[in-house]
Amino acid sequence: MLMEHKEYYLTIADTLLILGQRLSEWCGHGPAIEEDIALSNVALDYIGQATSLYKEIALKENLGKSEDDYAFLRDAWEYRNALIVEISNGDYAKTIARQFVFSTWYYHFLEALEKSNDTFLQGFAQKSIKEVRYHFQHSRDWILRMGGGTEESHNRLQNALNELWEFTGELMTNSVHEMEAIAKGVGVDNVALKDTFDRIVSAIFQEANVSAPADVWMQKGGKEGKHSEHLGFILAEMQFLQRAYPNSKW
Amino acid sequence: MVEVEADLIWEYLKMVEDPEIPILNVIEMGIVRDLTWDEDKKKWHVIITPTYSGCPAMKAIEEDIIEVLAELQVKNVVVDTVLSPPWTTDWMTDEAREKLRSTGIAPPEKGSADKGLLMGKVKDIACPRCASTNTIMVSQFGTTACKALYKCGDCLEPFDYFKCI
Ligand SMILES: [Zn+2]
């Protein structure tokens, strides 16, 4: 059965799955055990949220697929995630900087999605926003701590923002699939979130004595399936088992 | 007849523990939301809701429900997961909170819709051992998704706090 807004569901789900997969790389490598646990917990929340969306797609498509089919058996060009989640983790400052901008956008995205006229997405947003509140707080605290910490932590954070910034713009754009969903009252207008995003981010950056680089040309295309070379490597690792040993379970 | 069986199943479900906090069962946790009978397909539907999206215990809970009921000769059971309305720690009974405290886990504060969190406010949590409120949060993320890690400034013991959601 053809599912309406499938690509819209995938845009959200893929973005969460890939970020969850990226954060999982810190498991066992965190700078402190508390941070190791924190990022693993955040990763689990994202992967759980993605799972519930894939399950809903499977239910609506009714093709006998499971959530795993969407995660493990699609190639890079079929993924609809924003580019910011696929770029490499870098150092802890870069990982945290990404967490902060991502959670700021995602929190407000979910707040708007609670008003979607798609009842599943409404429930998904109500559920997820409670978790994302904690993710936001965690990353915000670290931005303040690194920005106001030693010269090295401050410089690392500023460098991270310089490297990361070109990938932030895509979050506040609407892809073709998102525009279709917005037109039906299902999707969230990301462009409308930009003012709130800018206001919150610049207030925290000011407090942390760092700044977002000005006049950056923004990368985009991930949400339309045009990805950086990084995504292929993530999928190769994530999908290896199902590709090498189809239908294996444990 | 169906009503009688429903009452029984609700009783049976109390035997299903939360795998991460075995002192509480899935009813006390507020994870089981409803029980319905599908007359056409002759099946019981146990409706559950996740505590956290990423809670790895949910899959185990689903399997445990089917297993426990099967052992009690209720075999035609399907477990459905719903997200709305979202689970909240406010659904935990006072009894459940007391049980948590008695095992060394500080129970969640009431009032889950906590926007103060966004502003960086941290609540005063009482130590489950000595009741002192001279406690500090060590990490917002603890041993499981639902807990934060605290330390008591008086008895010096670390403890888990079941955080509000
Ligand atoms: Zn104490």
Side-chain angles (χ1 to χ4, degrees):
Chain A
M1 204 165 29
L2 212 60
M3 176 195 171
E4 227 193 333
H5 304 301
K6 178 185 168 187
E7 301 292 323
Y8 187 69
Y9 272 63
L10 285 176
T11 305
I12 309 170
D14 292 346
T15 296
L16 294 168
L17 177 68
I18 298 302
L19 185 53
Q21 181 72 14
R22 266 286 181 232
L23 292 184
S24 310
E25 291 171 20
W26 279 107
C27 186
H29 301 274
I33 191 158
E34 290 80 6
E35 285 309 294
D36 207 293
I37 293 170
L39 285 192
S40 301
N41 271 315
V42 175
L44 273 175
D45 282 343
Y46 290 148
I47 293 169
Q49 290 170 15
T51 305
S52 72
L53 290 165
Y54 292 134
K55 271 189 180 160
E56 186 65 14
I57 298 173
L59 193 75
K60 286 188 176 144
E61 278 199 312
N62 200 17
L63 298 171
K65 289 188 186 177
S66 83
E67 62 272 27
D68 287 349
D69 291 303
Y70 300 97
F72 296 130
L73 300 176
R74 284 181 306 140
D75 210 341
W77 59 272
E78 294 167 282
Y79 266 76
R80 296 282 171 261
N81 62 280
L83 296 172
I84 192 167
V85 298
E86 71 194 44
I87 56 168
S88 55
N89 284 333
D91 60 8
Y92 207 64
K94 191 171 168 192
T95 295
I96 288 295
R98 168 168 59 193
Q99 280 313 102
F100 175 66
V101 291
F102 182 81
S103 318
T104 305
W105 164 78
Y106 190 36
Y107 180 84
H108 293 93
F109 169 85
L110 289 172
E111 206 173 48
L113 194 66
E114 286 185 79
K115 298 177 199 95
S116 166
N117 59 24
D118 177 308
T119 47
F120 179 84
L121 291 178
Q122 253 175 40
F124 168 82
Q126 289 166 5
K127 174 79 205 155
S128 305
I129 200 166
K130 289 165 162 253
E131 297 158 2
V132 174
R133 218 171 260 166
Y134 283 105
H135 307 169
F136 173 81
Q137 190 200 28
H138 171 257
S139 59
R140 191 258 337 267
D141 288 354
W142 272 108
I143 293 286
L144 296 176
R145 199 188 282 191
M146 287 187 199
T150 62
E151 197 184 332
E152 179 168 5
S153 73
H154 175 271
N155 290 346
R156 281 189 184 228
L157 179 59
Q158 185 59 59
N159 288 341
L161 292 175
N162 297 347
E163 278 178 37
L164 194 72
W165 211 250
E166 61 182 312
F167 297 102
T168 57
E170 190 185 11
L171 294 172
M172 266 80 59
T173 62
N174 298 319
S175 68
V176 179
H177 312 298
E178 286 172 316
M179 282 193 279
E180 279 167 17
I182 294 164
K184 295 276 172 65
V186 166
V188 171
D189 180 0
N190 288 306
V191 177
L193 303 177
K194 192 170 183 315
D195 286 347
T196 311
F197 175 87
D198 287 344
R199 184 167 46 76
I200 293 172
V201 163
S202 57
I204 301 293
F205 285 172
Q206 200 177 354
E207 209 180 325
N209 197 25
V210 288
S211 56
D215 302 323
V216 172
W217 187 82
M218 293 292 183
Q219 302 279 356
K220 58 177 185 176
K223 296 197 281 189
E224 263 129 14
K226 286 172 243 158
H227 294 282
S228 69
E229 72 279 17
H230 296 290
L231 185 64
F233 288 99
I234 301 176
L235 296 185
E237 186 173 338
M238 188 176 86
Q239 299 182 335
F240 170 78
L241 202 76
Q242 279 304 317
R243 301 283 193 185
Y245 306 97
N247 304 318
S248 57
K249 290 198 188 326
W250 71 91
Chain B
M1 183 53 208
V2 167
E3 285 78 15
V4 175
E5 208 181 339
D7 287 345
L8 260 177
I9 293 174
W10 276 111
E11 279 308 308
Y12 292 165
L13 286 169
K14 291 183 185 163
M15 297 161 78
V16 181
E17 307 170 332
D18 181 322
E20 282 175 354
I21 312 165
I23 195 165
L24 297 179
N25 65 50
V26 292
I27 304 287
E28 290 169 309
M29 284 289 289
I31 289 171
V32 176
R33 303 293 303 285
D34 205 358
L35 174 69
T36 57
W37 170 250
D38 181 343
E39 182 59 38
D40 291 345
K41 295 191 175 138
K42 306 285 177 207
K43 276 187 166 122
W44 285 104
H45 287 258
V46 181
I47 320 290
I48 61 170
T49 197
T51 51
Y52 276 75
S53 302
C55 181
M58 292 311 295
K59 189 75 195 156
I61 289 173
E62 220 178 292
E63 287 162 5
D64 289 352
I65 287 175
I66 291 175
E67 200 183 304
V68 166
L69 293 182
E71 272 170 25
L72 295 158
Q73 306 309 316
V74 189
K75 296 200 192 260
N76 34 2
V77 179
V78 186
V79 179
D80 299 323
T81 301
V82 295
L83 297 179
S84 180
W87 187 82
T88 160
T89 38
D90 288 351
W91 292 345
M92 265 190 201
T93 58
D94 287 337
E95 213 184 347
R97 285 164 202 269
E98 217 26 71
K99 278 195 194 173
L100 279 178
R101 201 190 318 274
S102 71
T103 42
I105 300 169
E109 294 282 294
K110 287 194 182 172
S112 58
D114 190 5
K115 285 220 164 184
L117 196 62
L118 285 178
M119 309 304 153
K121 283 188 203 141
V122 179
K123 289 176 175 171
D124 290 333
I125 306 303
C127 170
R129 289 169 211 280
C130 72
S132 163
T133 50
N134 175 22
T135 58
I136 55 160
M137 187 179 77
V138 178
S139 178
Q140 189 64 264
F141 296 88
T143 50
T144 64
C146 54
K147 294 183 221 128
L149 193 60
Y150 273 70
K151 199 170 92 182
C152 178
D154 284 329
C155 74
L156 304 178
E157 289 291 334
F159 64 90
D160 274 334
Y161 165 56
F162 201 114
K163 63 196 186 199
C164 297
I165 190 171

